[in-house]
Amino acid sequence: MVITTVRLVGMLALALVVVALGELVPGSPRLYSDTVQLLAGLGAAGVCFAAARHRTGVPRRWRHLAAAGLLVWSLTRLWWVVQDLSGAGRQSPEAIADIGFLVLPACMLAGLLASTHTRPRPVPTSPRRDQIALVIDSVLITGSVLALIWSVFPGDPLDDVVGAALLAYPVADLVLLTMVGLLLTTRPDSPAGRRPLRLAGAALLAFGAADTVRLLGAGPLWLQTAGYVLGPALLTSAALSPARPVVQRPAAALLERDWLHLLLPYGPVLVTGVVLAARTVAGDPLTTFQAYLGWLGLALVVTRQMLTIMDNTVLLDRVAETQERLHHQAYHDPLTGLANRALFQERLALAVEAHERSQAPVAVIFADLDDFKLINDTFGHAMGDRVLHAVGERMRSCVRSTDLVARLGGDEFAVVLDQGGEPAPPARPAGGRLRSMVRQRIGGRRYVLSAAGVRVTGNADWVPRRTAPPPSPPEPGWSWSAEAEAIGQRVLATLREPYVIDGRSVGVGVSIGLVTAESGDRLSADILLRRADAAMYAVKRHGKGALIRYTGPRDTLPNADLPQLLAGALAEGGSPAAAGFEVHYQPIVRLSDGATVAVEALARWTDPVAGRVHPDVFVTMAERTGLVAAIDDFVLDRACADAATLAARFGRPIDLHVNVSAGRLGQQGLEDAVTAALQRHGVPAERLIIEITETLRIPDLPRAAEVVGRLRALGVRVALDDFGSGYNALAQLHSIPVDIVKLDSTLTDFGAEPDRAGALCRSVLAICAELGITVVAEGLETPERSRALAELGCPLGQGYLYGPPAPITALTN
């Protein structure tokens, strides 16, 4: 900035010295003046051309335009010098001189219009309309000022042809100077970025002063020479100004400048109109020049208003589009295009409100992709995103147009089903055959999730049905529940189909929870979603890849919020037993003789408000809310406390199996809890078996192996629960040093394909035998299954065949 200021002062001083020398040099003052102007113009043109080589875009363009205009302007001075040297004198007006004087303003006009691209208005508009509006505003202000000036001076400038021709030069300078003023006052820019424009305005002021002196024909020649020398000098300084980035101003300041842009042109027009109207009323008629200016001003005002209307129309359209886009972004998932949680909650709240008001049917499907992290880890997150998008598209194809499909986050999706009268789309085939069933069968059992828990019934009570109602009169709500479940089954079957992406076949499992609002339910959107969520997690605990419906008797008490009740029951410092928690025990027997060798301690909860709550419900909620450690520690302590009673009841010491969530293997506190319980109740460590449940993935296998190793060092044995389903598989068996493996009931079911099931069991038994691991078969409900596993060499078994979980007082030897 200092260098630029010094350069500017030096140029001004040099120009004044040159003008002063003209008064001292003998000879023709006119020849000296024309020669100095010629040299000043040529020098300025050369500097502008040279400076343009180091610029790009608009800064390069306006410097080229200024150089071209100065070059033509200098050629007119050369013509004058030739005339002065030949003694021919000047003929006025001269066509060549007129061309030279008008080319420079035209080039300056083009350069100023180009600068609007680097100084846009705060409110976006069309660049072409912006340039036209700038010209109109400049002409409006200039015309108003000229009308005021000529209302003071007598005569009409149009009466003199020569005067009218010479008038064009200062008028053009005034229009350009006004345009510079508008750009400076209404367009944002940094101080460094505004410097070239200010210097160009000063140059125009110098040119305008010289043209005015020439027009009036009065004043000393040196004054006219000073203007014509200072003009090129100032343009030279503008061309040499360094480039600076544009500084963004606050939005409020930009809007203030835009209001100034809209109002500024009409101030001079209003003042001029009032003055001329007053003079006309006073009896002073308008001159021809003033009349022309008036009609021109009126036409420009009308044109300016039309442009403003067009800009406002475009702006309103853009605002509407922006609002619509922002609204869509606020309520939709950017990856899948589905509704997000906010829109889902609003839609569900409206559906629940309609249900309470007019018993309108409503249901919620909650779907969670099984082991989706493996897809991201195997194929990358880009492939995972494409799979999520494909899942969303398939879910939309399975539901009706009135239903809302949403992505709640991660790999969780949900559907609001309402207005149940619309038929559902046809089912897509999966594996060659798809049947929409009213009740879902899992592992030979029927699970019905209710506010009180999950009831498990036998196969005889399970009857598959199609979507259409049976011939007999349906019970209240049956038709809507069946339709909702049919849609859920269709979603389940469709999402199971492989996804072919970039030639790769990617398989994705899904667990689905379904809840329907029944007549008499007093619900909220949050409670309905939680029930669907709990149903989905019940699927996770029973093998995944299925659908469970939350149905049965409903708690109509408004305060029966299970997560809140569970948090209160397991509050720190409280007593879970006082809040309804207790421990039941299920026998583990030796298959060769049926003798009980161990018991598994299982948590049970009977809440004073919600009643009996099934473990699949409260354990799932505890895992999701971080309360599962409190349940684990309560069961561990109670089992150790009951060890002596159990030994007395069975006549010998027996082992204690206690479940621990897999997520705790990566957390602090498990080892301390185990050690404290054993010491507090005097239980030998070799009598305790810690079962790692499979509902959650072990977060850090190496760290989990270290924890298991330290527990085994204490003498405690470790078991993998539900082996063969969920996350417990050969990877955990390889990484974690366990003592016992409990086969999941899905592996011990010999009913459908006994040869295949037998082969799998033999393989697992052989692996465990090689590793020195004891095997316990779960889910033994029939003598045939127990006998088959015994024949395969399985030593231990557990299931309803040998007794359900029961209080310690109900156990029999």
Short mmCIF file of all heavy atoms in Angstrom, two decimals, residues 44-75:
data_model
loop_
_atom_site.label_atom_id
_atom_site.label_comp_id
_atom_site.label_asym_id
_atom_site.label_seq_id
_atom_site.Cartn_x
_atom_site.Cartn_y
_atom_site.Cartn_z
N ALA A 44 0.75 5.67 -20.94
CA ALA A 44 -0.29 4.99 -20.16
C ALA A 44 -0.78 3.74 -20.87
O ALA A 44 -1.00 2.69 -20.23
CB ALA A 44 -1.45 5.94 -19.88
N ALA A 45 -0.94 3.80 -22.21
CA ALA A 45 -1.38 2.62 -22.96
C ALA A 45 -0.36 1.50 -22.84
O ALA A 45 -0.71 0.33 -22.66
CB ALA A 45 -1.62 3.00 -24.42
N GLY A 46 0.93 1.85 -22.96
CA GLY A 46 1.95 0.82 -22.83
C GLY A 46 1.97 0.17 -21.47
O GLY A 46 2.12 -1.05 -21.33
N VAL A 47 1.83 0.98 -20.42
CA VAL A 47 1.82 0.44 -19.06
C VAL A 47 0.61 -0.49 -18.86
O VAL A 47 0.72 -1.57 -18.25
CB VAL A 47 1.83 1.57 -18.02
CG1 VAL A 47 1.58 1.02 -16.62
CG2 VAL A 47 3.14 2.33 -18.07
N CYS A 48 -0.55 -0.10 -19.37
CA CYS A 48 -1.76 -0.93 -19.23
C CYS A 48 -1.58 -2.27 -19.96
O CYS A 48 -1.96 -3.33 -19.43
CB CYS A 48 -2.99 -0.19 -19.76
SG CYS A 48 -3.51 1.19 -18.73
N PHE A 49 -1.00 -2.22 -21.16
CA PHE A 49 -0.76 -3.47 -21.89
C PHE A 49 0.21 -4.37 -21.12
O PHE A 49 0.04 -5.58 -21.01
CB PHE A 49 -0.21 -3.17 -23.29
CG PHE A 49 -1.27 -2.96 -24.32
CD1 PHE A 49 -1.32 -1.78 -25.05
CD2 PHE A 49 -2.23 -3.94 -24.58
CE1 PHE A 49 -2.29 -1.57 -26.02
CE2 PHE A 49 -3.20 -3.73 -25.55
CZ PHE A 49 -3.24 -2.55 -26.25
N ALA A 50 1.27 -3.77 -20.57
CA ALA A 50 2.27 -4.55 -19.84
C ALA A 50 1.67 -5.14 -18.55
O ALA A 50 1.94 -6.30 -18.19
CB ALA A 50 3.48 -3.69 -19.51
N ALA A 51 0.88 -4.35 -17.85
CA ALA A 51 0.28 -4.84 -16.60
C ALA A 51 -0.74 -5.95 -16.86
O ALA A 51 -0.94 -6.83 -16.02
CB ALA A 51 -0.38 -3.69 -15.84
N ALA A 52 -1.40 -5.91 -18.02
CA ALA A 52 -2.41 -6.92 -18.33
C ALA A 52 -1.81 -8.30 -18.51
O ALA A 52 -2.49 -9.31 -18.30
CB ALA A 52 -3.18 -6.52 -19.59
N ARG A 53 -0.53 -8.37 -18.89
CA ARG A 53 0.09 -9.68 -19.09
C ARG A 53 0.21 -10.48 -17.81
O ARG A 53 0.30 -11.71 -17.85
CB ARG A 53 1.48 -9.51 -19.72
CG ARG A 53 1.46 -8.98 -21.14
CD ARG A 53 2.84 -8.96 -21.73
NE ARG A 53 3.75 -8.10 -20.96
CZ ARG A 53 5.04 -7.96 -21.21
NH1 ARG A 53 5.59 -8.65 -22.20
NH2 ARG A 53 5.79 -7.16 -20.46
N HIS A 54 0.21 -9.82 -16.67
CA HIS A 54 0.35 -10.49 -15.38
C HIS A 54 -0.99 -10.69 -14.67
O HIS A 54 -1.02 -10.99 -13.49
CB HIS A 54 1.30 -9.68 -14.48
CG HIS A 54 2.62 -9.39 -15.11
ND1 HIS A 54 3.58 -10.37 -15.30
CD2 HIS A 54 3.15 -8.23 -15.60
CE1 HIS A 54 4.65 -9.84 -15.88
NE2 HIS A 54 4.43 -8.54 -16.06
N ARG A 55 -2.07 -10.47 -15.39
CA ARG A 55 -3.40 -10.63 -14.81
C ARG A 55 -4.19 -11.65 -15.62
O ARG A 55 -3.83 -12.02 -16.74
CB ARG A 55 -4.18 -9.31 -14.79
CG ARG A 55 -3.50 -8.17 -14.07
CD ARG A 55 -3.42 -8.42 -12.57
NE ARG A 55 -3.05 -7.23 -11.82
CZ ARG A 55 -1.82 -6.80 -11.63
NH1 ARG A 55 -0.81 -7.48 -12.16
NH2 ARG A 55 -1.57 -5.72 -10.92
N THR A 56 -5.28 -12.11 -15.05
CA THR A 56 -6.19 -13.03 -15.74
C THR A 56 -7.63 -12.58 -15.52
O THR A 56 -7.92 -11.82 -14.58
CB THR A 56 -6.04 -14.47 -15.21
OG1 THR A 56 -6.31 -14.50 -13.81
CG2 THR A 56 -4.66 -15.02 -15.48
N GLY A 57 -8.51 -13.05 -16.37
CA GLY A 57 -9.93 -12.79 -16.18
C GLY A 57 -10.28 -11.34 -16.38
O GLY A 57 -9.75 -10.63 -17.26
N VAL A 58 -11.18 -10.84 -15.53
CA VAL A 58 -11.67 -9.46 -15.64
C VAL A 58 -10.56 -8.44 -15.43
O VAL A 58 -10.48 -7.45 -16.19
CB VAL A 58 -12.83 -9.24 -14.64
CG1 VAL A 58 -13.24 -7.78 -14.60
CG2 VAL A 58 -14.02 -10.11 -15.02
N PRO A 59 -9.64 -8.58 -14.45
CA PRO A 59 -8.54 -7.60 -14.34
C PRO A 59 -7.71 -7.48 -15.60
O PRO A 59 -7.28 -6.39 -15.96
CB PRO A 59 -7.71 -8.14 -13.16
CG PRO A 59 -8.68 -8.91 -12.34
CD PRO A 59 -9.62 -9.54 -13.32
N ARG A 60 -7.50 -8.55 -16.30
CA ARG A 60 -6.75 -8.51 -17.56
C ARG A 60 -7.57 -7.82 -18.64
O ARG A 60 -7.05 -7.01 -19.43
CB ARG A 60 -6.40 -9.94 -17.98
CG ARG A 60 -5.62 -10.04 -19.29
CD ARG A 60 -5.52 -11.49 -19.70
NE ARG A 60 -4.71 -11.67 -20.89
CZ ARG A 60 -3.41 -11.96 -20.89
NH1 ARG A 60 -2.77 -12.11 -19.74
NH2 ARG A 60 -2.73 -12.10 -22.01
N ARG A 61 -8.89 -8.10 -18.64
CA ARG A 61 -9.74 -7.57 -19.70
C ARG A 61 -9.85 -6.05 -19.61
O ARG A 61 -9.73 -5.34 -20.61
CB ARG A 61 -11.12 -8.22 -19.61
CG ARG A 61 -12.02 -7.96 -20.82
CD ARG A 61 -13.40 -8.57 -20.59
NE ARG A 61 -13.28 -9.91 -20.05
CZ ARG A 61 -14.25 -10.54 -19.41
NH1 ARG A 61 -15.41 -9.92 -19.20
NH2 ARG A 61 -14.09 -11.76 -18.96
N TRP A 62 -10.10 -5.50 -18.39
CA TRP A 62 -10.30 -4.05 -18.32
C TRP A 62 -8.99 -3.30 -18.57
O TRP A 62 -9.01 -2.16 -19.08
CB TRP A 62 -10.94 -3.65 -17.01
CG TRP A 62 -10.09 -3.60 -15.77
CD1 TRP A 62 -10.06 -4.50 -14.77
CD2 TRP A 62 -9.17 -2.56 -15.38
NE1 TRP A 62 -9.18 -4.13 -13.79
CE2 TRP A 62 -8.63 -2.92 -14.13
CE3 TRP A 62 -8.76 -1.37 -15.98
CZ2 TRP A 62 -7.69 -2.14 -13.47
CZ3 TRP A 62 -7.82 -0.58 -15.32
CH2 TRP A 62 -7.29 -0.97 -14.07
N ARG A 63 -7.87 -3.90 -18.27
CA ARG A 63 -6.60 -3.24 -18.59
C ARG A 63 -6.36 -3.21 -20.10
O ARG A 63 -5.85 -2.21 -20.62
CB ARG A 63 -5.45 -3.96 -17.87
CG ARG A 63 -5.38 -3.65 -16.38
CD ARG A 63 -4.35 -4.49 -15.66
NE ARG A 63 -4.14 -4.08 -14.28
CZ ARG A 63 -4.91 -4.41 -13.25
NH1 ARG A 63 -5.98 -5.18 -13.46
NH2 ARG A 63 -4.63 -3.95 -12.05
N HIS A 64 -6.73 -4.28 -20.79
CA HIS A 64 -6.65 -4.26 -22.25
C HIS A 64 -7.58 -3.20 -22.84
O HIS A 64 -7.21 -2.49 -23.80
CB HIS A 64 -6.99 -5.63 -22.82
CG HIS A 64 -5.84 -6.59 -22.80
ND1 HIS A 64 -5.99 -7.96 -22.78
CD2 HIS A 64 -4.49 -6.37 -22.81
CE1 HIS A 64 -4.81 -8.54 -22.78
NE2 HIS A 64 -3.88 -7.60 -22.79
N LEU A 65 -8.78 -3.12 -22.30
CA LEU A 65 -9.73 -2.12 -22.81
C LEU A 65 -9.21 -0.71 -22.56
O LEU A 65 -9.31 0.17 -23.44
CB LEU A 65 -11.09 -2.32 -22.14
CG LEU A 65 -11.88 -3.56 -22.57
CD1 LEU A 65 -13.10 -3.76 -21.67
CD2 LEU A 65 -12.33 -3.42 -24.02
N ALA A 66 -8.69 -0.44 -21.36
CA ALA A 66 -8.14 0.89 -21.07
C ALA A 66 -6.96 1.21 -22.00
O ALA A 66 -6.83 2.34 -22.49
CB ALA A 66 -7.71 0.96 -19.60
N ALA A 67 -6.10 0.20 -22.23
CA ALA A 67 -4.96 0.43 -23.14
C ALA A 67 -5.43 0.74 -24.54
O ALA A 67 -4.88 1.64 -25.21
CB ALA A 67 -4.06 -0.80 -23.12
N ALA A 68 -6.44 0.00 -25.02
CA ALA A 68 -6.95 0.26 -26.38
C ALA A 68 -7.56 1.65 -26.47
O ALA A 68 -7.34 2.40 -27.45
CB ALA A 68 -7.97 -0.82 -26.75
N GLY A 69 -8.36 2.02 -25.48
CA GLY A 69 -8.96 3.35 -25.51
C GLY A 69 -7.93 4.45 -25.44
O GLY A 69 -8.02 5.46 -26.17
N LEU A 70 -6.90 4.30 -24.60
CA LEU A 70 -5.84 5.31 -24.51
C LEU A 70 -5.04 5.39 -25.80
O LEU A 70 -4.57 6.48 -26.20
CB LEU A 70 -4.91 4.97 -23.34
CG LEU A 70 -5.48 5.23 -21.94
CD1 LEU A 70 -4.58 4.62 -20.88
CD2 LEU A 70 -5.64 6.74 -21.70
N LEU A 71 -4.85 4.25 -26.46
CA LEU A 71 -4.10 4.26 -27.71
C LEU A 71 -4.85 5.05 -28.78
O LEU A 71 -4.26 5.90 -29.48
CB LEU A 71 -3.87 2.83 -28.17
CG LEU A 71 -3.06 2.66 -29.47
CD1 LEU A 71 -1.66 3.25 -29.29
CD2 LEU A 71 -2.96 1.18 -29.85
N VAL A 72 -6.15 4.82 -28.92
CA VAL A 72 -6.93 5.59 -29.90
C VAL A 72 -6.97 7.05 -29.52
O VAL A 72 -6.87 7.95 -30.37
CB VAL A 72 -8.35 4.99 -30.01
CG1 VAL A 72 -9.21 5.84 -30.94
CG2 VAL A 72 -8.28 3.56 -30.51
N TRP A 73 -7.13 7.30 -28.17
CA TRP A 73 -7.14 8.70 -27.70
C TRP A 73 -5.80 9.38 -28.03
O TRP A 73 -5.77 10.54 -28.41
CB TRP A 73 -7.38 8.67 -26.19
CG TRP A 73 -7.51 10.01 -25.54
CD1 TRP A 73 -8.61 10.78 -25.44
CD2 TRP A 73 -6.45 10.73 -24.88
NE1 TRP A 73 -8.34 11.94 -24.76
CE2 TRP A 73 -7.02 11.93 -24.40
CE3 TRP A 73 -5.10 10.47 -24.65
CZ2 TRP A 73 -6.28 12.87 -23.71
CZ3 TRP A 73 -4.36 11.41 -23.96
CH2 TRP A 73 -4.93 12.59 -23.49
N SER A 74 -4.68 8.65 -27.91
CA SER A 74 -3.37 9.21 -28.23
C SER A 74 -3.23 9.48 -29.72
O SER A 74 -2.56 10.46 -30.14
CB SER A 74 -2.27 8.25 -27.77
OG SER A 74 -2.34 8.03 -26.38
N LEU A 75 -3.85 8.63 -30.54
CA LEU A 75 -3.78 8.87 -32.00
C LEU A 75 -4.46 10.18 -32.38
O LEU A 75 -4.03 10.86 -33.33
CB LEU A 75 -4.40 7.69 -32.74
CG LEU A 75 -3.63 6.37 -32.63
CD1 LEU A 75 -4.38 5.26 -33.36
CD2 LEU A 75 -2.21 6.51 -33.18
#
